[in-house]
Amino acid sequence: MPSSEAGLVEQRLDHIAEIGAGRCSITDAGIEAEADPNTQQILAGLLMLHEDLQFAQQRQSALLDELRGAVRARDEFLSIAGHELRTPITTLALQIEGLEGVLRQKASPELLAALARRMDLTRRQVDRLSGLVATLIDVSRINARRVQVSREPADLMEVLRLAVDRLGDQAARAGSSLRLEDGGPLRGDFDVSRVEQVATNLLSNAIRYGRGRPIVVRASGEDGRARFSVEDAGIGIAREHQPRIFQQYERAAPATNYAGLGLGLWICRHLVEAMGGTISFRSEEGVGTEFTVELPRSP
Amino acid sequence: MSVYQDPPGLFAAACTIYLVAGAVCPTVRRVTMSDEAHPSGAPAPADLAELRARVTRIGERLFMLREVPIQTPSTVDAMFDRLVELTAGLDRFAYVVDLSGVVRPDAQTRARLKERILQINDRLAHVGVAVGANAVIRAVARLVAFASGFPSFSFHFSVDEATEACRRALQ
Amino acid sequence: MTGHILVIDDNDDLRETVQMLLESSGYSVATAANGRAALAHLQGGSRPSLILLDLMMPDMNGWQFLEHARGDASLRSVPILIMTAHQETDGARMPPAEVVPKPFDAATLLAAIGRHVSPI
């Protein structure tokens, strides 16, 4: 190839490379100055491919911005809604307490007995509402990366005992026995409320999916690390769902059967990680599930 | 210029010519792309009527689009809306588009063209494109045709030739 | 049995509360926590005058129970009221039956029931 032609080929290859790199060296004026119509066509085609690339990138960028904005708005809304809801729930809780107080003072034993069950049920719904609101707020905090962990000297076994006691009734209603294997105190610096929240969540799941079979909580520890596990003999998690079990809005149980937000394990994972720990599980469909949380005993 | 269908191979061949051609290429400066200054936004009602008037029926199942020199996504929408109205109920039709006098449209407009053509793909038998002697417009037409995924485009010098190609395709 | 209602809902508290409401309004009530338990109860021979049915339940949900009920000659004639928080706009398939949307108040529920069956 004569050197002028070779130089031309080099030049053209550079043009193509510039387009691929997102830059461009072809202009409308340059195209017009071309004598050969075929070359004009090609240069125009290359120029337009470059424009299309830029346009697509701009659109993608705009869409990404819009998406991020929408997600921020959603989390903002969750946070506001959650905080707004807390006020009427507080009022409700206080009024119920007030009602109970008045009843205890003024009501006859017969009236008290007739109303006792209704008061129990009423109080429990307030707890449920509070729980749901707390979940909404947790989600918005986790999404906005605003989870705070505050540690204090505590006994992990004691925290687990509290959670087990709290859920004893619920387990009984589902027909499951709930047992804590007490291996003695497990002291360390823990975020007590977060640990309780995670334990409660895991226990709730065990009760919900436990088929009325026994649930066992175990804890152990060595230098530097403590762990606890919740084991059930329930429906288990299907193999195809296992990889995604900790994801947001993930429901391994069919959505038309179990109501629920699908957030529990996602929240658990984030809280455990915020505490510097790990959460894992083993499960077999139709046999049961065991979740294990490992935490550092001090930061 | 003769009538021809445009298989992908022809573009590749043209690229090869570009690379290997001995023709001297005057200055193609290393300048970064500047934004095309194209008007955008919906056309005024009087203009809308004028745009719609540019889409006409010229035969049984045969239609003509006389494109405006400066196309925008709005002008594209106005004219294709009219085409869809005129072709309502037809399971098969062809159209001739006259691109002589058109300025190279920007990326956004080309994207809109692709979308609108895609929407009528299943009823479109053929598109005959009159490009005059303008090589750049020929390149535009080819790019849009390929991107819209529709296989039966042809490019011609004159409107008459383009119309004839459409009639043949409709038989 | 006239005035006998079967309440099917997996939420214990709601089930109990609805039972209390209906009994204090003069109905006799039986309950079940899910579709399967309800079918077992019905197979025992009981024939309610009306069924209050939740949709989202484990171990046979409301949709599945409805299918069974429609297919059973003895159950087909029992009026069924759906209690659910779901609406069509949630993308949920609404069954072809009368719906009492949650949350409902006592008056609304009793009126809906009263259209089909009177207290004992």
Side-chain angles (χ1 to χ4, degrees), chain A residues 117-118 121 124-125 128 173 255-259, chain C residues 11-13 16-17 20 56-61:
Chain A
R117 188 64 189 143
R118 288 189 184 272
L121 286 169
R124 200 155 62 212
Q125 304 320 302
R128 283 208 67 189
R173 273 201 305 276
T256 49
N257 289 61
Y258 292 93
Chain C
N11 186 301
D12 315 348
D13 293 350
E16 190 179 336
T17 302
M20 289 164 91
M56 303 273 275
M57 300 178 291
D59 218 354
M60 194 186 294
N61 60 35

Side-chain angles (χ1 to χ4, degrees), chain A residues 9 12 24-25 42 51-52, chain B residues 14 18-19 29 31 104 110:
Chain A
V9 172
R12 307 287 163 80
C24 192
S25 63
I42 293 159
E51 288 169 354
D52 286 349
Chain B
Y18 168 62
L19 288 175
R29 296 179 301 280
V31 190
R104 192 173 72 79
R110 279 183 276 116

Side-chain angles (χ1 to χ4, degrees), chain A residues 158-168 178 195-196 199-200 203:
Chain A
E158 192 53 43
V159 177
L160 293 172
R161 198 171 295 121
L162 275 169
V164 165
D165 283 346
R166 191 120 65 74
L167 289 178
L178 179 50
V195 172
E196 211 194 322
T200 302
L203 281 169

Side-chain angles (χ1 to χ4, degrees), chain B residues 11 20 25 44 46 51-52 54 58 86 89 97 101 126 130 146 157 163:
Chain B
F11 194 78
V20 170
C25 171
L51 285 168
R52 289 163 61 82
R54 286 170 161 264
I58 58 175
L86 290 174
V97 51
H126 189 79
F146 278 46
F157 178 70
T163 310

Side-chain angles (χ1 to χ4, degrees), chain A residues 1 4-5 8-9 11-16 18 23-52 54-55 58-59, chain B residues 4 11 13-36 104-111 114-115 133-136 138-143:
Chain A
M1 198 188 292
S4 62
E5 274 186 33
L8 216 52
V9 172
Q11 211 178 63
R12 307 287 163 80
L13 287 168
D14 283 344
H15 290 156
I16 293 177
E18 296 251 350
R23 301 188 297 270
C24 192
S25 63
I26 303 171
T27 64
D28 283 301
I31 294 171
E32 209 145 322
E34 265 298 325
D36 175 40
N38 286 330
T39 311
Q40 277 190 320
Q41 261 205 84
I42 293 159
L43 288 174
L46 288 172
L47 177 52
M48 284 188 286
L49 287 177
H50 168 76
E51 288 169 354
D52 286 349
Q54 280 192 319
F55 182 57
Q58 273 164 23
R59 273 232 278 237
Chain B
Y4 59 99
F11 194 78
C15 281
T16 314
I17 295 169
Y18 168 62
L19 288 175
V20 170
V24 173
C25 171
T27 49
V28 178
R29 296 179 301 280
R30 284 178 187 283
V31 190
T32 49
M33 257 289 298
S34 57
D35 282 299
E36 306 274 321
R104 192 173 72 79
D106 65 8
Q108 197 184 6
T109 308
R110 279 183 276 116
K114 291 170 206 170
E115 277 168 43
N134 193 326
V136 171
R138 183 181 288 270
V140 173
R142 190 176 288 170
L143 218 71

Side-chain angles (χ1 to χ4, degrees), chain A residues 163-186:
Chain A
V164 165
D165 283 346
R166 191 120 65 74
L167 289 178
D169 279 345
Q170 205 182 319
R173 273 201 305 276
S176 289
S177 69
L178 179 50
R179 183 168 60 89
L180 171 64
E181 277 184 8
D182 200 328
L186 270 174

